[in-house]
Amino acid sequence: VQALLARERRALSRAITVVENRERGFADLLAAVYPRTGSAFRVGITGPPGAGKSTLVDGLAAHWSAQGQRVGIIAVDPTSPFSGGALLGDRVRMGDLSALPDVYIRSMATRGSSGGVAAATRDVSMVMDAFGFDWLLIETVGVGQIEIEVMNICDSVTVVFVPESGDGVQALKAGLIEIAHVYVVNKADRPGAEQLATELGQAVAAKRDRERWNYPVITSEAVHRKGVTELAGELERHRAFLGTAERLPRVRREQALKDLENILRERVHTYLLQERDGWLDELSGRIASGNLDPHRAADLVWQRLLAREGTPTSRSD
Amino acid sequence: VQALLARERRALSRAITVVENRERGFADLLAAVYPRTGSAFRVGITGPPGAGKSTLVDGLAAHWSAQGQRVGIIAVDPTSPFSGGALLGDRVRMGDLSALPDVYIRSMATRGSSGGVAAATRDVSMVMDAFGFDWLLIETVGVGQIEIEVMNICDSVTVVFVPESGDGVQALKAGLIEIAHVYVVNKADRPGAEQLATELGQAVAAKRDRERWNYPVITSEAVHRKGVTELAGELERHRAFLGTAERLPRVRREQALKDLENILRERVHTYLLQERDGWLDELSGRIASGNLDPHRAADLVWQRLLAREGTPTSRSD
């Protein structure tokens, strides 16, 4: 913890590993760094695969790094629920970013439980926050529930589309419109970019009327570095917006609630994993054969959980 | 329940509504129908938005309906975590399918908790199973964690891509390859279809070697009814495959475990919702201000849960 707070990179990497993998003592580590958190601003970047999120994130990191600001990147890769993953990101990208001072990138693999992923991402971001980053860019692959849960622990959410993302209705259905504060239409040299930007503007019109934030829609060509400065500007503006009128404490209170739920869900998941070769195996057999319905079975599991001493926990200490 | 088992459609619609919305008595209803379940085969259909899943599902329904089989369709729409949704599907499609005998379609809105969605989808499928459908087609929008959770409660999973879905790496990253039993490259008249089919075939080669199922890759043009008969054939073949050598009971045992976890997660979610305006509000304030770390806070919540009489439940009875 001392080395971490003294900004030693190796201590940071080690602390992140401890927290991400829920190694022995991770909760104590988090409790120790927690009072030092709160100064980093968490920007979530999400959107469909292939939208160019990584390129945009790299562009933002280069932009802020050039201004002497510290940027941490967390690439959350909801790969397979079976194999775990998240290796690709590092390999493809480290070349570009490793040359930049004060930029740190870390990929995170998922571990099958969506609450667990969001909780672990949040915890890793807390460690990086305590280390002293000015900006934390939290990038996800894909557009599903797990990404929405990860976005829910961010202060500001940017969603990246490409003209090929499909028509406005499909974009709306993906549920991204309602969680985002800034919209990017990337690869804007392709046909349909202007139309998509217009559609997105229409889709957020009601929110603009209702709230004081204007939900900007930016067009970009991240590979040609076009639009990156503009996006950075909008993110700085959103940070300033939240910083006024006590908005940020309210946002972080909501995040705390989400965080609590994610941790509790992670504990239930871990408990079931622990018991699955024992009595739970017999119980699932009874459900599968139609002798017991799952809601009654859940009552039984819950009673066992209550009867247990202490709390179920994912800690190994 | 009597009217449901007597195959009255109005009783079916009513029972689904009770179960989906967790209305008073839903658990009793499920317990009553549960012993009558087990004969329907659940096919999950997933893939990125715009891949043509609905058209394929409609084609399958028409195909089996023409053979005198009963087909139930559940369209799970992971729309917004805020507004709920799932209305679009019905409106766009009911025209085509309402003319078919023995086909029933139902859209389901999500309610923000991913465990809750999968649990509710599973429960609705149980009601439809008891009603007497031969096939249940469970269709999702999108490719995220929530869809994977919904697919985990299906007997067989088909994933639908289009040539535009992006290169093979992106498809792999979406985590779909590992949960699917049948692959479809739809809109196969577009450029890149053959290449994507080849890539998918290569991606599943290792699984083919390891397991006895051959993970077929089908090309289709659903709007022109091409490939639908072939897909139906592969699904019948997969159903027969699982029916031999006691494979299906094992699959359903796994589903029962997932189901249990989803129900428990749903209960945690409901409990937190109930308490959020009370003591939980004070707790989240302490977390947000850095005075309490979330893992310690989770311990406190858990202790309160333990001290509580009875089980937290989403039932209103």
Side-chain angles (χ1 to χ4, degrees):
Chain A
V1 172
Q2 293 307 318
L4 176 74
L5 299 178
R7 292 195 168 150
E8 290 179 20
R9 283 218 174 197
R10 270 180 53 190
L12 174 62
S13 296
R14 178 78 193 108
I16 291 175
T17 301
V18 168
V19 166
E20 188 193 348
N21 300 331
R22 276 36 187 137
E23 287 175 22
R24 191 181 177 79
F26 90 90
D28 293 333
L29 194 154
L30 280 173
V33 303
Y34 206 74
R36 306 290 286 265
T37 62
S39 49
F41 190 74
R42 281 165 195 75
V43 178
I45 317 257
T46 191
K53 293 181 293 295
S54 302
T55 316
L56 269 173
V57 165
D58 293 0
L60 287 172
H63 176 87
W64 282 319
S65 171
Q67 297 180 356
Q69 299 193 61
R70 290 186 174 82
V71 183
I73 301 171
I74 306 175
V76 182
D77 191 344
T79 319
S80 134
F82 297 88
S83 68
L87 297 169
L88 196 72
D90 280 344
R91 274 192 232 131
V92 178
R93 297 163 45 166
M94 284 304 270
D96 286 313
L97 286 173
S98 57
L100 295 174
D102 296 324
V103 174
Y104 180 90
I105 179 166
R106 179 73 173 226
S107 283
M108 282 187 56
T110 66
R111 280 181 318 281
S113 146
S114 64
V117 175
T121 304
R122 176 83 180 167
D123 290 341
V124 166
S125 83
M126 285 297 169
V127 171
M128 291 173 78
D129 187 344
F131 183 83
F133 288 102
D134 300 296
W135 297 87
L136 292 177
L137 302 175
I138 301 177
E139 170 196 341
T140 64
V141 177
V143 290
Q145 183 69 17
I146 201 169
E147 288 75 20
I148 288 175
E149 283 168 7
V150 170
M151 292 302 116
N152 275 332
I153 56 150
C154 296
D155 302 317
S156 179
V157 175
T158 293
V159 59
V160 184
F161 294 101
V162 279
E164 295 81 6
S165 297
D167 59 54
V169 172
Q170 295 287 7
L172 275 166
K173 287 182 89 172
L176 288 170
I177 297 284
E178 304 198 29
I179 60 165
H181 307 98
V182 177
Y183 302 86
V184 177
V185 178
N186 195 25
K187 306 187 184 176
D189 50 333
R190 297 197 187 166
E194 275 310 314
Q195 199 201 325
L196 179 57
T198 306
E199 282 174 11
L200 287 169
Q202 288 161 355
V204 297
K207 284 170 74 180
R208 283 176 177 160
D209 290 343
R210 208 168 49 227
E211 294 163 52
R212 306 198 60 169
W213 177 246
N214 75 328
Y215 299 94
V217 179
I218 297 170
T219 53
S220 70
E221 296 171 47
V223 287
H224 305 116
R225 307 250 160 201
K226 283 188 198 165
V228 172
T229 305
E230 204 180 340
L231 175 58
E234 293 293 354
L235 292 172
E236 288 161 10
R237 209 164 63 80
H238 193 226
R239 184 176 190 160
F241 170 80
L242 289 177
T244 55
E246 285 290 299
R247 283 188 189 93
L248 195 55
R250 212 159 52 227
V251 167
R252 293 205 164 155
R253 219 164 155 121
E254 282 301 311
Q255 291 170 9
L257 277 175
K258 303 269 184 196
D259 211 13
L260 260 182
E261 175 167 357
N262 288 332
I263 291 168
L264 290 170
R265 283 166 54 186
E266 186 186 12
R267 290 182 182 190
V268 168
H269 179 73
T270 307
Y271 175 67
L272 291 180
L273 270 187
Q274 284 166 357
E275 304 293 341
R276 70 169 289 164
D277 291 326
W279 55 270
L280 202 51
D281 187 54
E282 189 251 325
L283 202 68
S284 66
R286 284 172 62 199
I287 300 172
S289 62
N291 290 317
L292 180 69
D293 79 278
H295 290 269
R296 303 274 180 247
D299 291 341
L300 296 175
V301 173
W302 200 264
Q303 278 155 25
R304 268 193 110 103
L305 255 171
L306 291 176
R308 214 162 160 259
E309 276 204 43
T311 69
T313 172
S314 50
R315 286 177 246 167
S316 29
D317 59 75
Chain B
V1 171
Q2 292 306 319
L4 176 73
L5 299 178
R7 291 193 169 152
E8 289 178 20
R9 283 215 175 200
R10 271 181 53 192
L12 175 62
S13 295
R14 178 78 194 107
I16 291 175
T17 302
V18 167
V19 165
E20 190 194 346
N21 299 332
R22 275 41 184 135
E23 287 174 21
R24 190 179 177 81
F26 90 90
D28 292 333
L29 193 155
L30 280 173
V33 303
Y34 206 73
R36 306 290 288 263
T37 61
S39 50
F41 191 74
R42 282 164 194 76
V43 178
I45 316 257
T46 191
K53 294 181 293 295
S54 304
T55 316
L56 270 173
V57 164
D58 293 359
L60 287 172
H63 177 87
W64 281 321
S65 171
Q67 297 181 358
Q69 300 193 62
R70 291 186 174 82
V71 182
I73 300 171
I74 306 175
V76 182
D77 192 344
T79 319
S80 134
F82 296 88
S83 69
L87 296 170
L88 195 72
D90 280 344
R91 276 194 229 130
V92 177
R93 296 162 47 166
M94 285 303 271
D96 285 314
L97 286 172
S98 56
L100 295 175
D102 296 323
V103 173
Y104 180 90
I105 181 165
R106 179 74 174 223
S107 283
M108 282 187 56
T110 65
R111 281 181 315 282
S113 148
S114 63
V117 175
T121 305
R122 175 86 180 161
D123 290 341
V124 166
S125 83
M126 285 297 168
V127 171
M128 291 173 77
D129 188 344
F131 183 81
F133 288 103
D134 301 295
W135 297 88
L136 292 176
L137 303 175
I138 301 177
E139 171 196 342
T140 64
V141 178
V143 291
Q145 184 70 17
I146 201 169
E147 288 75 19
I148 288 175
E149 283 167 9
V150 170
M151 292 301 117
N152 275 333
I153 56 149
C154 295
D155 301 318
S156 180
V157 175
T158 292
V159 58
V160 185
F161 294 102
V162 278
E164 295 81 6
S165 297
D167 59 55
V169 172
Q170 296 286 8
L172 275 166
K173 287 181 89 172
L176 288 170
I177 296 285
E178 304 198 29
I179 60 165
H181 306 100
V182 177
Y183 302 86
V184 177
V185 177
N186 194 26
K187 306 187 183 175
D189 50 331
R190 297 195 188 167
E194 275 310 312
Q195 199 201 324
L196 178 57
T198 306
E199 282 174 13
L200 287 170
Q202 288 162 353
V204 297
K207 284 170 76 181
R208 283 176 178 161
D209 291 343
R210 209 167 51 227
E211 294 164 50
R212 305 199 61 171
W213 177 245
N214 75 327
Y215 299 93
V217 179
I218 296 170
T219 52
S220 71
E221 295 172 45
V223 286
H224 305 117
R225 307 250 160 200
K226 281 188 200 170
V228 172
T229 306
E230 205 180 340
L231 175 58
E234 292 293 354
L235 291 173
E236 287 161 12
R237 209 165 63 80
H238 193 226
R239 184 176 192 163
F241 170 80
L242 289 177
T244 56
E246 286 289 299
R247 284 188 188 94
L248 195 54
R250 214 158 53 229
V251 167
R252 294 207 162 152
R253 217 165 157 122
E254 282 302 313
Q255 291 172 7
L257 277 174
K258 304 269 185 197
D259 211 14
L260 261 181
E261 175 166 358
N262 289 331
I263 291 168
L264 291 169
R265 283 165 56 189
E266 186 187 10
R267 290 183 182 190
V268 168
H269 180 73
T270 307
Y271 175 66
L272 292 180
L273 271 186
Q274 283 165 357
E275 304 294 339
R276 69 168 292 163
D277 291 328
W279 55 270
L280 202 52
D281 186 54
E282 189 251 325
L283 202 68
S284 67
R286 285 173 62 200
I287 300 172
S289 60
N291 290 319
L292 179 69
D293 79 278
H295 291 268
R296 303 273 181 246
D299 291 340
L300 296 175
V301 173
W302 199 264
Q303 279 156 25
R304 268 195 109 102
L305 258 170
L306 291 177
R308 208 161 165 263
E309 275 203 47
T311 69
T313 173
S314 50
R315 286 177 247 167
S316 28
D317 56 80

